[in-house]
Amino acid sequence: MNFTRWSARLPGTQRRAAARSDRGSVPAARVEYGRPSEHGPDAQDTPGDDALPSSAAAQPLTDLSVCEILGRLPALVALVYGPDHRVAYVNDAYAAAFGPREPGAPAAVALPELDELGLLPLLDQVLRSGTPRTVKSRKVPKGGSYTITCTPIELPAGTAGSGENGVLVFASDVTDHAEAAERLRASERRLRETAVTLQRSLLPQELEQPDDLRIAATYQPGGTDAAVGGDWYDVITLGAGRTALVIGDVMGRGVRAAAVMGQLRTAVRAYARLDLPPHEVLQLLDGLAAEIDASQIATCAYAVHDPNEGRLVYASAGHLPILVRDEDGTVRRAEDHTGPPLGTGGWMHTSGTIALPPGSTAVLYTDGLVERRREDIDEGVAALERALSGATGTPQVVCDRLIRALGVTADHDDDVAVLVLQHPTRTGPDAELFHNAALELLGGIEAAPRARAFATGVLASWRFPVELCDLGVLAASELVANSLQHGTPPMRLRLRRTDRRLIIEVTDGDDHLPRRRRAEPADEAGRGISIVATIASSWGSRRTPGGGKAVWCEFALPDS
């Protein structure tokens, strides 16, 4: 760059000399040359449509110095030279923004604003490399944002620092753009915070803790650059010691996905109260998901734990497999019985089982935990298996270890939900609080007395208070009588105690579920279920997988 004179040839014009005029005067309009006149060569020139401003006629570009041109620019311009970046020139806009500067002074002293903008190291780099550099939206402490380009030049003879290498600093005021961008970022932050708040409010605020399991869960939204997704989990107590465990993921981002997730979670809890098999719950959810939003699909895994069977009965709608870690560290996958995601329709879901013996740990999770770009998702699941095989401790500790082992941080690009349940091994005094007893009922007139005698002896051996024993025997007698009258063989009475409740359950071969109804004074029957519902803490019924039904009731144990 030659820091003396600057000349240029404009297209469609001819260079011509013109007398300089004062800046305050209004020069005559420029006429266009080089265009033949329609009235002949002697006709007067008339102004063209693309005439340049009159200042060009008053002062041609060949007579303008670089200092004059830069001095009229609205951008901030400064010229520094030498290793100390001494000031050679600042234009009027620079002086108006930061004040006049003394030529010859080092930039570190004379141009403190460059230091505040962090440009002094950049000036060194440009001076050494001879390559221009640009930094965007640098904010000065006094207010204002600038995009700054530093260009290396060689100062010509007759100027301060002539013959030395220098740097031309060109700063464009982008304060309006920077403020608009900041407002946009603030709006996006508020939207994300709203979505995160909605997401967390729709998740369980406190997990239900069944008697036979220890459960913990973790939800971590994606980083600030990732919109909130529709991951969710839930734990639902079904009664009779059974527990439903749910995890799901709505495809999509933002408030809309979170809203769909909330509707699905509410529906799952409602369907779970019907105590249906897992595949029937997913079948109902499949139709509902299409009604809520046909453009959204979701994956879901629904599992039920029954302490009497020591296993998980599960169904999956396009979700990742449940992992179970045995006490010896062996990890198993529940890979079968996986159907398409919810909302696709036209699929008959089925249920599968996986053993959950004492001492084992099961993990339900969403794809954000194991899915990585440029990696197959099976590799992520395999990495989770390896991490789970060595993860011991409480369920919350296992959650945290899996999150760390899979490299999930606050800047992760996807939501992550993890649900961990443990079936603890009970020994010593703790084991004395958990007992089971069962009696096969063969039918006949002696079945009811045998059931009462069995319940009386078992409850007395468990050292329950007399009042609780009497209520337990009455409930067992009514449930057995109802089964004998309305059910079919095989029939069984099961008594179970935990550290918090007494559970009485009767199963038979008939699949008609009893209903509580109001008996009229003259009715001789129909009061058994009402009596059970009145004296027990809760009661319910469900169909069993092999046909038949189970009717149960619970009594809360008094605090010891």
Side-chain angles (χ1 to χ4, degrees), residues 41 64 67 88 94 105 198 280 299 326 347 374 488 528-529:
L64 288 176
C67 287
Y94 195 104
L198 175 62
E280 293 188 22
T299 65
D326 293 328
W347 182 267
R374 297 181 295 276
T488 59
I529 296 299

Side-chain angles (χ1 to χ4, degrees), residues 25 50 67 72 78 101-102 106 108 126 172 194 204 215 226 274 294 303 329 363 397 403 464 469 503 558:
S25 64
D50 57 347
C67 287
R72 299 180 186 182
R101 295 294 184 263
E102 184 68 25
V126 171
S172 301
T194 300
I215 301 177
L274 301 176
V363 178
V397 170
I403 291 287
F464 285 149
C469 287
I503 302 169

Side-chain angles (χ1 to χ4, degrees), residues 361-406:
T361 300
V363 178
L364 292 79
Y365 52 96
T366 57
D367 58 358
L369 183 64
V370 296
E371 191 173 29
R372 299 293 181 272
R373 295 178 182 176
R374 297 181 295 276
E375 286 186 11
D376 189 90
I377 196 169
D378 287 335
E379 296 179 11
V381 176
L384 178 60
E385 287 181 332
R386 292 191 295 270
L388 179 60
S389 66
T392 58
T394 64
Q396 188 60 59
V397 170
V398 173
C399 276
D400 297 339
R401 289 183 175 178
L402 295 181
I403 291 287
R404 289 196 302 270
L406 273 294

Side-chain angles (χ1 to χ4, degrees), residues 104 121 153 234 275 285 356 461-462 490 536 540:
I153 64 170
D234 210 348
D275 215 340
L285 276 179
L356 191 71
S461 68
W462 289 348

Side-chain angles (χ1 to χ4, degrees), residues 144-161:
S145 299
Y146 297 89
T147 292
I148 303 160
T149 299
C150 300
T151 306
I153 64 170
E154 180 180 350
L155 274 69
T159 61

Side-chain angles (χ1 to χ4, degrees), residues 453-478:
F454 175 77
T456 301
V458 170
L459 298 182
S461 68
W462 289 348
R463 300 181 181 180
F464 285 149
V466 175
E467 181 181 359
L468 180 58
C469 287
D470 292 341
L471 292 176
V473 171
L474 176 59
S477 177
E478 293 295 337

